[in-house]
Amino acid sequence: GIGSHFGSTNDVSAKFIANGIVGSNWEDWEAPDIHQIIVSMKVGDIVYIKSFAPSSGFIYVSAIGFIKDADILDNTKVNYIEIGRNVLWKYTGKKFGIKKPDGKFNVRLNTIYEEFHPEIQTEILKHLV
């Protein structure tokens, strides 16, 4: 899952979808872990654009796709990101919510994370079939 709010009000999800990318605007020295996650993505990995407000109890998903190639994008290729990847978007329909499963829910506010919860993985996959 990757967030698309750069700052509190700048939602770039439409740009991500229109340009077939995902990325982060954090510079490497500010967030080396985010850069490493993006670099480590493999062709075919599933990625989804998400937002999460803990008070809502839902993760909201606006697009789902696959990492398209091994290219690493930077701000010389896409001016509003510091690092990113090309994506083949397969679901760009209506934004949908996934109810918070029971248990810890501590990573959903992060810019990017690998999803390990089986209920959330299942809900993401349902929209790709």
Side-chain angles (χ1 to χ4, degrees):
I2 188 164
S4 61
H5 283 86
F6 291 179
S8 61
T9 59
N10 189 15
D11 181 0
V12 296
S13 56
K15 286 183 178 183
F16 280 176
I17 293 166
N19 294 303
I21 67 165
V22 292
S24 171
N25 71 335
W26 290 102
E27 294 188 40
D28 186 39
W29 63 269
E30 294 175 299
D33 50 341
I34 291 172
H35 282 246
Q36 186 58 46
I37 290 170
I38 291 173
V39 167
S40 69
M41 292 176 168
K42 296 174 290 307
V43 174
D45 281 354
I46 297 171
V47 63
Y48 60 96
I49 300 172
K50 57 86 181 174
S51 60
F52 176 65
S55 62
S56 74
F58 285 85
I59 298 170
Y60 290 97
V61 177
S62 54
I64 307 168
F66 299 94
I67 298 298
K68 185 176 176 178
D69 55 38
D71 292 350
I72 305 298
L73 307 174
D74 61 25
N75 61 15
T76 64
K77 296 177 183 174
V78 182
N79 66 355
Y80 58 94
I81 63 168
E82 290 297 321
I83 188 166
R85 299 296 294 270
N86 290 309
V87 176
L88 175 61
W89 293 114
K90 297 307 256 176
Y91 177 86
T92 57
K94 184 179 179 189
K95 184 186 284 191
F96 64 93
I98 301 172
K99 185 162 177 34
K100 171 190 169 301
D102 291 335
K104 289 294 267 178
F105 212 61
N106 59 335
V107 298
R108 301 313 183 289
L109 288 172
N110 293 350
T111 298
I112 188 171
Y113 58 86
E114 184 173 355
E115 183 58 68
F116 289 103
H117 198 288
E119 290 175 30
I120 296 174
Q121 291 173 338
T122 299
E123 288 300 315
I124 295 294
L125 289 174
K126 282 181 186 178
H127 286 81
L128 290 176
V129 178

